[in-house]
């Protein structure tokens, strides 16, 4: 009997990578012929003025734009950088670390924090390429840093409860409490991330029982690594002093994903001369279900006194038409501090939206469009319409996104039937992209959450329907509307050159046949920013070509 499906297991393990793909490197800044965006938005608000010092170009990183250079050069105290999609976030972070090392900072006095080991490894590789001295630099997760702190607290090696053992313990307690194991596990994790007991009084005895069980076994869980480290630094002055004296600079990636325990750890590590530079984008905060609190981004200046702010506004990823669509969507969620992003990429076609009669028809539509984009895969498909305008893409340059993994099988089947090589992110890692070997390429099918940090020349966003987006499972709380809007914003901004949107008129979901309307978020995008395709008819069946 299974108590947890794979998606629940991922949610219960805290802030981990959802799958094994490394983020694609961001392209270097370039000036395109057409950089104007058609999004109907107000001019960007003035960012706080930062003082930057003259500095030579960072070796291995090339030229930075003025905004990026300010973030790299600023040394006046704590710094928070708001970096929207495609604005060169990772580039700035790596350049700042390399610049500090070039100034003579000892590598051990700089630590770079992110949320997954995969992201830490990627940053480490990019740092090593930019600055050879970075090999001695501390690059890791909040959990790994907490583990280092706690190794000085306990007089025994740290033992962290593995996932299977934790789920077994939580399941036993949930049965006694008459609760769903997933609900109890989530409540326990959120309480630790917030540095408090569970909000509901009925859960508090089970929180204590869980902690007592951990103490009897002499183990910690993953959330304890951050929580207990922060508590130790706050209550043990000598320990805090030793850490504050060893760190001059802390760099934090994806700051929109922090939780209160992680902020408390940062605060406890900061001595009078420590400078924290954090970078992220609250418009891409999509992990609230794991305990992340996007409000902490706006509170950075209160949590770390004297912090200054900077915004990156030049988007080097998406065509102006795609960026305009995405900005129209996210603008429906008011934020006075949001900068207006300026497209730097070449002009491209409007996003294409289609309303299909069923998930099968939607899948056929996706497959037909992909075949056309690939330029046709065989003689039958070429005669049936493949190879027309828009061909020339490789399979590895195309991604199909969805809200739920349950949407993937019908799409994968349609693509495979059309002869398109496919990889489903929930089942296998992305293949290496090799533009010289078509057979090594596959169209990527992945959830919107898994797509964060990636980018593709062509993106399909499917299932834009009520109940799916925003996600409203039966007999369970609906996902927050603002977070689901941000999730769609993330999905749209994965596209560089072409964007396709679709929905089905009817769908079987959660064991029920439904006739959902369009997602309400579509009404927030002006119709002038999209091309509408009447796609009710199924694609024409291919016929065998005659020999004469």
């Amino acid at each position: 009997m299974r108590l947890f499906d794979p998606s629940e297991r991922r949610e219960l393990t805290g802030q981990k990578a959802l799958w094994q793909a490394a983020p694609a490197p961001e392209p270097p800044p370039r000036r395109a012929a057409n950089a104007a965006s058609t999004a109907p938005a107000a001019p960007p608000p003035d960012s706080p003025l930062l003082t930057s010092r003259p500095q030579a170009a960072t070796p291995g990183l090339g030229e930075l734009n003025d905004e990026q250079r300010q973030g790299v050069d600023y040394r006046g105290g704590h710094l928070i950088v708001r970096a929207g999609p495609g604005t060169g976030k990772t580039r700035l972070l790596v350049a700042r670390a390399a610049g500090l090392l070039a100034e003579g900072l000892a590598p051990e006095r700089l630590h770079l924090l992110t949320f997954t080991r995969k992201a830490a490894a990627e940053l480490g590789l990019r740092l090593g390429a930019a600055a050879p001295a970075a090999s001695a630099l501390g690059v890791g997760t909040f959990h790994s840093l907490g583990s280092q702190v706690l190794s000085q607290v306990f007089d025994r090696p740290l033992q962290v409860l593995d996932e299977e053992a934790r789920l077994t313990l939580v399941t036993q307690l949930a049965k006694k409490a008459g609760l769903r194991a997933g609900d109890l596990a989530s409540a326990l994790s959120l309480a630790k991330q917030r540095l408090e007991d569970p909000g509901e009084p009925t859960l508090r005895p089970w929180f204590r029982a869980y902690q007592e069980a951990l103490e009897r076994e002499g183990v910690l869980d993953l959330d304890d690594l951050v929580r207990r480290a922060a508590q130790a630094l706050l209550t043990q002055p000598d320990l805090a002093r030793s850490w504050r004296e060893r760190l001059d600079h802390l760099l934090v990636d994806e700051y929109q994903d922090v939780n209160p325990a992680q902020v408390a750890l940062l605060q406890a590590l900061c001595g009078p001369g420590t400078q924290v530079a954090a970078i992220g984008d609250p418009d891409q905060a999509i992990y609230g279900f794991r305990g992340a609190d996007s409000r902490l981004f706006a509170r950075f200046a209160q949590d770390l006194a004297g912090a200054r702010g900077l915004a990156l506004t030049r988007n080097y990823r998406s065509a102006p038409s795609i960026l305009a669509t995405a900005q129209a969507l996210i603008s429906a969620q008011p934020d006075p501090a949001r900068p207006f992003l300026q497209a730097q990429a070449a002009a491209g076609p409007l996003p294409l939206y289609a309303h299909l009669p069923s998930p099968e028809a939607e899948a056929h539509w996706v497959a037909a469009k992909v075949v056309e984009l690939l330029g046709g895969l065989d003689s039958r498909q070429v005669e049936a319409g493949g190879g027309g305008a828009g061909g020339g893409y490789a399979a590895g340059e195309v991604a199909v996104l969805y809200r739920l993994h349950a949407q993937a099988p019908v799409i994968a089947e349609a693509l495979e039937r059309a002869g398109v090589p496919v990889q489903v992110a929930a089942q296998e890692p992305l293949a290496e992209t090799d533009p010289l070997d078509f057979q090594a390429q596959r169209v990527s099918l992945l959830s919107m959450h898994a797509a964060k940090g990636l980018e593709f020349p062509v993106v399909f966003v499917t299932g834009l329907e009520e109940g799916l987006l925003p996600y409203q499972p039966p007999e369970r709380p609906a996902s927050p509307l603002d977070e689901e809007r941000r999730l769609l914003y993330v999905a749209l901004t994965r596209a560089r050159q072409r964007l396709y949107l679709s929905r089905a008129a009817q769908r079987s979901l959660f064991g029920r046949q439904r006739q959902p309307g369009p997602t309400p978020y579509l009404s927030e995008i002006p119709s002038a920013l999209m091309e509408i395709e009447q796609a009710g008819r199924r694609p024409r069946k291919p016929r065998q070509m005659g020999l004469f």
Side-chain angles (χ1 to χ4, degrees):
M1 184 175 80
R2 290 182 178 271
L3 290 166
F4 297 89
D5 64 29
S7 64
E8 288 180 308
R9 288 177 182 273
R10 284 192 297 274
E11 291 186 15
L12 295 175
T13 54
Q15 301 192 41
K16 289 186 176 181
L18 292 177
W19 58 305
Q20 302 179 33
E26 296 171 64
R30 61 190 185 279
R31 188 167 298 278
N34 183 353
S37 173
T38 57
D46 293 334
S47 299
L49 186 60
L50 301 181
T51 337
S52 64
R53 303 173 291 101
Q55 183 175 323
T58 306
L61 287 169
E63 186 178 347
L64 301 166
N65 68 36
D66 294 341
E67 295 169 346
Q68 293 167 339
R69 176 55 66 187
Q70 286 186 73
V72 168
D73 289 350
Y74 183 67
R75 302 289 185 270
H78 303 307
L79 175 68
I80 182 77
V81 180
R82 183 162 180 162
T87 56
K89 171 180 68 68
T90 306
R91 183 181 174 80
L92 186 154
L93 201 65
V94 170
R96 183 174 173 87
L100 288 166
L101 296 176
E103 292 171 12
L105 181 71
E108 63 271 14
R109 303 195 67 80
L110 168 65
H111 200 94
L112 199 154
L113 285 167
T114 188
F115 287 87
T116 68
R117 285 178 292 183
K118 195 77 174 179
E122 174 72 12
L123 284 169
L125 286 173
R126 294 185 66 165
L127 267 169
S135 59
L137 175 65
V139 182
T141 64
F142 279 93
H143 294 112
S144 65
L145 180 58
S147 178
Q148 291 177 47
V149 172
L150 291 177
S151 66
Q152 297 180 239
V153 175
F154 294 98
D155 55 2
R156 52 180 169 76
L158 291 181
Q159 294 188 37
V160 180
L161 197 66
D162 64 39
E163 180 189 357
E164 291 295 330
R166 180 174 184 267
L167 296 181
T168 299
L169 174 57
V170 170
T171 299
Q172 293 170 351
L173 292 174
K175 286 180 179 177
K176 295 178 182 178
L179 300 168
R180 287 184 72 255
D183 290 343
L184 180 58
S186 177
L188 295 173
S189 183
L190 289 175
K192 291 191 175 188
Q193 292 173 17
R194 294 169 180 163
L195 297 173
E196 60 188 24
D197 285 347
E200 295 183 34
T202 55
L203 291 174
R204 291 172 190 165
W206 304 108
F207 180 84
R208 289 193 292 269
Y210 175 72
Q211 283 302 106
E212 289 167 2
L214 295 183
E215 290 169 7
R216 283 196 303 271
E217 297 297 325
V219 297
L220 304 173
D221 66 12
L222 198 63
D223 292 314
D224 278 331
L225 293 179
V226 177
R227 180 181 74 107
R228 295 282 293 270
Q231 292 172 337
L233 290 167
L234 291 170
T235 57
Q236 300 181 30
D238 290 342
L239 176 70
R241 189 179 306 111
S242 71
W243 274 92
R244 290 170 178 172
E245 289 175 350
R246 74 174 73 173
L247 290 173
D248 291 329
H249 289 270
L250 284 162
L251 307 184
V252 189
D253 194 14
E254 304 286 8
Y255 196 79
Q256 77 279 350
D257 294 333
V258 294
N259 61 47
Q262 290 162 340
V263 172
L265 178 60
L266 272 182
Q267 291 173 309
L269 289 168
C270 286
T274 308
Q275 295 184 27
V276 176
I279 191 165
D281 180 16
D283 286 336
Q284 297 184 75
I286 59 174
Y287 297 123
F289 64 92
R290 292 188 195 168
D293 187 347
S294 61
R295 296 172 297 181
L296 294 172
F297 192 98
R299 269 185 39 192
F300 184 87
Q302 288 79 45
D303 292 330
L304 294 162
R308 304 295 298 272
L310 170 67
L312 303 184
T313 64
R314 301 176 191 175
N315 176 289
Y316 295 97
R317 176 187 300 161
S318 300
S321 56
I322 295 173
L323 187 62
T325 300
Q327 291 202 114
L329 169 75
I330 202 64
S331 295
Q333 183 177 327
D335 181 355
R338 176 183 296 121
F340 176 77
L341 299 183
Q342 305 167 41
Q344 306 295 299
L350 291 175
L352 182 63
Y353 168 66
H355 176 199
L356 289 306
S358 67
E360 292 75 19
E362 180 184 47
H364 283 300
W365 180 79
V366 169
K369 292 296 181 187
V370 170
V371 168
E372 180 181 339
L373 288 161
L374 301 186
L377 297 175
D378 59 31
S379 60
R380 295 176 305 155
Q381 290 159 333
V382 168
E383 188 189 26
Y393 288 97
E397 295 179 308
V398 180
V400 183
L401 310 186
Y402 38 76
R403 180 62 179 84
L404 300 180
H405 290 293
Q407 297 169 247
V410 66
I411 300 172
E413 182 183 354
L415 287 166
E416 289 168 350
R417 193 162 53 242
V420 177
V422 172
Q423 57 192 349
V424 182
Q427 300 173 4
E428 54 186 309
L430 281 179
E432 291 297 324
T433 299
D434 182 358
L436 300 180
D437 183 0
F438 177 81
Q439 294 303 318
Q441 301 253 351
R442 302 180 189 178
V443 169
S444 300
L445 273 61
L446 59 158
S447 72
M448 296 180 188
H449 281 100
K452 188 174 183 302
L454 303 175
E455 60 181 72
F456 299 87
V458 180
V459 170
F460 290 80
V461 182
T462 62
L464 295 178
E465 304 149 22
E466 290 178 318
L468 276 178
L469 198 73
Y471 182 43
Q472 296 174 309
E475 301 176 3
R476 305 283 297 157
S479 296
L481 294 178
D482 285 348
E483 181 158 319
E484 293 285 295
R485 181 186 287 104
R486 294 194 294 267
L487 181 60
L488 179 55
Y489 176 73
V490 166
L492 301 182
T493 54
R494 300 312 92 195
R496 287 163 49 191
Q497 298 168 6
R498 291 175 178 266
L499 176 63
Y500 297 84
L501 311 173
S502 63
R503 76 174 182 96
Q506 62 84 20
R507 187 182 297 273
S508 179
L509 193 63
F510 311 119
R512 288 184 272 183
Q513 193 69 24
R514 305 166 56 252
Q515 293 183 326
T519 172
Y521 302 128
L522 280 174
S523 66
E524 298 170 352
I525 302 173
S527 58
L529 295 179
M530 295 187 295
E531 181 183 349
I532 311 299
E533 178 173 315
Q534 301 299 326
R537 293 181 299 175
R538 295 182 63 165
R540 180 174 47 156
K541 292 183 179 180
R543 62 182 177 83
Q544 179 64 46
M545 293 180 68
L547 293 177
F548 304 100

